[in-house]
Amino acid sequence: MLPKIQNAHWIFRVPEFGKIQITYAVLFTFILGLFISSSGNLLYSQGLLFLMFVHHGITLVKYTPLYPVKKHTQKHQSSQKLHFISANVYQFNKEYNRFISLIEKYSPEMFLTMESNGDWEQAMRILEKDYPFQHKVTLENTYGMHFYSKIKIKNAQTHYFVADDIPSIEVHLKTEDGFSFVFFGVHPPPPSPTEEETSKERDGDLLSTAKRVKDIKDPVIVVGDFNNVAWSKSSILFRKTSHLIDPRIGHSFVSTFHAKYRLLRFPIDLMFHSEDIFIKALKTLENFGSDHLPVYCEFFIDHHNDGQEDQIEAATSEEKAEAEEMIQEGKKEDGDRDEVVTED
């Protein structure tokens, strides 16, 4: 119930991440109660557990195949199929060759790395012969970001929406068959007892990206380690403010963190896209030594298919005002981060 309290402190925001695990725990406890001798107090407890299960289930069912969404087929006027990999590599992960082998195995047209510092940049130079177009933001504070592409980059820029050490990247590309699109990479700081005390910077950064995306006319993809879950209030505000679509709805959670603990894995590496982009596949790939699993996406662009228009939700005037307030709060927040972070 803590996430229902709209307070930015991590105590209230972190429990949002565990909704899947909490729902399983509620269901398990409810089933266990069926085997206990009935009493008045037990009936009240069972009733509360049932209501909690329904409450969580209504939210989570949207991110399963049980939730109906339209299926789309690729037509001749669409772009060729395109692929990308997004990966939080974990700055202190030294298994560079495992990641390089992953890229060589799947050979996506583009890939994004987060937490990539100078050592990671040096290790990935071997891939530059296959990925001649790059946009690099090399930092040692666990917020470095690198984008590599086989598709020509028309222009690229780095945004620092709420803090001068938290970058987001905006890359404009054009495929050989003439389709232009924009790729955003994001990695805001998480609310947690070991990092940021509140979610203000995270939410401000994401909603600033949403405002920027809304003004772009080309098809858009926003991807990265959001340090957020799709059902949180700020994620929903992001989706409505940006007029983008969450491809997990009607498909699967695509949980990525923590890579080593399957039962404690949360879907915090998110993706959103505009209505002209159609997702063919979205899944996690094998672990390469990071604490996040990489995300793999296959998609195509089709300007003539309006089948996804009904999935766009626009923010109300009250939600727009709330989003603007969260952006301003994020800019005011003074995150206490070191320029160079070392592993504990």
Side-chain angles (χ1 to χ4, degrees):
M1 295 301 172
L2 285 173
K4 292 296 180 184
I5 301 171
Q6 293 308 311
N7 186 301
H9 196 279
W10 67 263
I11 288 174
F12 301 96
R13 301 280 61 88
V14 167
E16 291 176 313
F17 291 32
K19 186 178 283 287
I20 300 171
Q21 288 80 4
I22 290 169
T23 305
Y24 277 119
V26 167
L27 179 61
F28 175 78
T29 309
F30 177 81
I31 293 172
L32 199 64
L34 298 177
F35 297 94
I36 299 175
S37 299
S38 179
S39 69
N41 289 336
L42 180 65
L43 290 175
Y44 287 125
S45 299
Q46 289 291 86
L48 178 60
L49 287 168
F50 179 76
L51 289 175
M52 289 173 66
F53 178 76
V54 171
H55 168 72
H56 290 305
I58 288 171
T59 298
L60 295 180
V61 74
K62 293 179 181 178
Y63 303 93
T64 73
L66 298 175
Y67 192 79
V69 292
K70 290 181 182 177
K71 305 297 182 183
H72 303 283
T73 56
Q74 189 169 0
K75 299 178 181 178
H76 67 276
Q77 68 265 43
S78 69
S79 72
Q80 298 294 315
K81 285 188 291 187
L82 300 167
H83 312 79
F84 72 78
I85 288 175
S86 168
N88 182 323
V89 296
Y90 182 56
Q91 180 171 300
F92 309 106
N93 175 19
K94 303 299 182 183
E95 299 188 56
Y96 310 117
N97 289 337
R98 288 179 66 184
F99 179 72
I100 291 167
S101 296
L102 184 85
I103 296 299
E104 291 174 341
K105 176 181 176 180
Y106 291 96
S107 190
E109 281 77 15
M110 66 209 89
F111 69 90
L112 172 74
T113 61
M114 291 150 287
E115 291 202 27
S116 39
N117 62 355
D119 290 340
W120 271 95
E121 182 178 320
Q122 179 68 33
M124 291 189 293
R125 283 183 181 166
I126 193 173
L127 294 169
E128 292 184 5
K129 64 181 185 299
D130 295 321
Y131 294 87
F133 308 104
Q134 305 114 28
H135 183 65
K136 304 174 181 178
V137 187
T138 308
L139 298 172
E140 301 294 332
N141 64 352
T142 71
Y143 290 98
M145 192 175 291
H146 291 68
F147 179 80
Y148 294 79
S149 176
K150 296 178 180 179
I151 301 170
K152 186 174 182 179
I153 295 175
K154 294 193 295 183
N155 60 74
Q157 57 184 306
T158 304
H159 299 285
Y160 296 90
F161 288 121
V162 299
D164 59 7
D165 58 347
I166 302 294
S168 300
I169 64 168
E170 175 185 339
V171 184
H172 293 247
L173 306 106
K174 188 171 185 178
T175 65
E176 290 185 358
D177 52 351
F179 287 84
S180 296
F181 67 100
V182 183
F183 188 103
F184 274 82
V186 300
H187 182 204
S192 81
T194 58
E195 296 195 49
E196 298 308 308
E197 185 175 315
T198 74
S199 65
K200 290 180 180 180
E201 278 191 307
R202 180 198 70 182
D203 297 340
D205 190 75
L206 291 175
L207 290 167
S208 296
T209 301
K211 281 185 64 178
R212 169 63 185 154
V213 164
K214 188 176 178 294
D215 295 331
I216 295 176
K217 304 305 180 186
D218 286 333
V220 176
I221 291 172
V222 182
V223 67
D225 177 3
F226 278 57
N227 279 312
N228 205 358
V229 284
W231 48 79
S232 75
K233 184 173 184 178
S234 55
S235 278
I236 293 169
L237 268 180
F238 172 90
R239 177 165 53 82
K240 289 182 176 182
T241 302
S242 62
H243 292 185
L244 297 182
I245 296 167
D246 182 353
R248 285 169 164 77
I249 293 176
H251 294 98
S252 66
F253 296 115
V254 195
S255 297
T256 55
F257 177 88
H258 194 287
K260 296 179 182 178
Y261 309 114
R262 183 180 295 273
L263 295 179
L264 296 175
R265 193 170 290 171
F266 312 131
I268 63 173
D269 293 86
L270 304 183
M271 175 200 172
F272 295 85
H273 63 88
S274 56
E275 63 190 75
D276 288 342
I277 289 177
F278 295 81
I279 307 302
K280 296 284 288 182
L282 183 66
K283 62 182 181 180
T284 57
L285 300 179
E286 56 266 31
N287 187 11
F288 59 90
S290 174
D291 52 354
H292 289 246
L293 294 176
V295 174
Y296 174 88
C297 180
E298 177 182 317
F299 69 98
F300 64 88
I301 304 168
D302 190 344
H303 299 293
H304 304 284
N305 190 334
D306 59 2
Q308 295 188 131
E309 285 184 355
D310 60 345
Q311 296 184 48
I312 302 293
E313 288 186 75
T316 64
S317 57
E318 291 82 4
E319 288 172 327
K320 289 177 183 177
E322 186 175 11
E324 190 60 41
E325 183 181 349
M326 292 169 78
I327 290 171
Q328 296 309 316
E329 286 183 352
K331 290 179 179 179
K332 292 176 185 175
E333 192 77 358
D334 184 19
D336 185 18
R337 287 178 293 273
D338 295 329
E339 290 185 12
V340 178
V341 177
T342 56
E343 189 172 19
D344 293 335

